[in-house]
Amino acid sequence: MYSKKKDQPEELYSQSISAGKRKYFFDVKQTKAGDMFITIAESRKVFDNETGQFYFDKNKMFLYKEDFEKFQRGLSNAFHYIETGEIPAGEAEPMQAEHNDDIDSVLSDIDNIKI
């Protein structure tokens, strides 16, 4: 189903979770071909020191049905590692620190984008 507004997919299901200064949104939408997908968004209230005002920084990702199993496995493995400190059997070693610096740089650039 598509909404009348700008030919955008209509939300079939939506759930939000408040977590401190952050809010997470899980929305199920459908393509014109009838394939469902999930958008996961994070919104957080941020203070802009230059303007002296608050704004909402929002980041969104799209998760398509063909990737659900891999995404779920990766997320589950990450949770397992955090909870136990053990690498899940049959999985690759976690990223080394030097790679994390590159990722932190990219994430920092993304965090500075105002939407």
Side-chain angles (χ1 to χ4, degrees):
M1 282 187 256
Y2 270 67
S3 66
K4 294 176 185 173
K5 184 178 154 185
K6 296 184 183 178
D7 206 28
Q8 295 290 320
E10 190 174 324
E11 287 183 3
L12 304 174
Y13 170 83
S14 183
Q15 179 181 6
S16 64
I17 298 170
S18 294
K21 291 182 180 181
R22 300 177 191 274
K23 195 166 196 174
Y24 299 99
F25 301 89
F26 300 89
D27 301 319
V28 176
K29 298 181 180 186
Q30 192 170 34
T31 67
K32 286 182 180 179
D35 296 323
M36 286 189 245
F37 64 97
I38 298 171
T39 61
I40 302 170
E42 174 209 31
S43 179
R44 62 189 176 107
K45 193 173 185 178
V46 179
F47 184 75
D48 186 336
N49 289 323
E50 291 179 18
T51 65
Q53 296 185 356
F54 284 97
Y55 67 94
F56 287 94
D57 180 34
K58 190 171 185 178
N59 299 295
K60 186 183 280 193
M61 67 175 280
F62 295 81
L63 182 59
Y64 298 93
K65 189 174 182 178
E66 62 268 18
D67 301 324
F68 286 179
E69 188 176 315
K70 292 175 185 176
F71 185 87
Q72 185 177 21
R73 185 173 58 245
L75 189 58
S76 178
N77 288 342
F79 287 162
H80 176 81
Y81 183 79
I82 290 169
E83 292 169 353
T84 67
E86 298 172 358
I87 297 168
E91 297 299 325
E93 293 284 326
M95 285 191 291
Q96 300 300 318
E98 64 267 13
H99 297 294
N100 289 343
D101 292 339
D102 294 337
I103 292 170
D104 288 342
S105 174
V106 170
L107 292 175
S108 176
D109 291 343
I110 291 170
D111 283 341
N112 291 326
I113 297 172
K114 295 179 186 175
I115 298 178

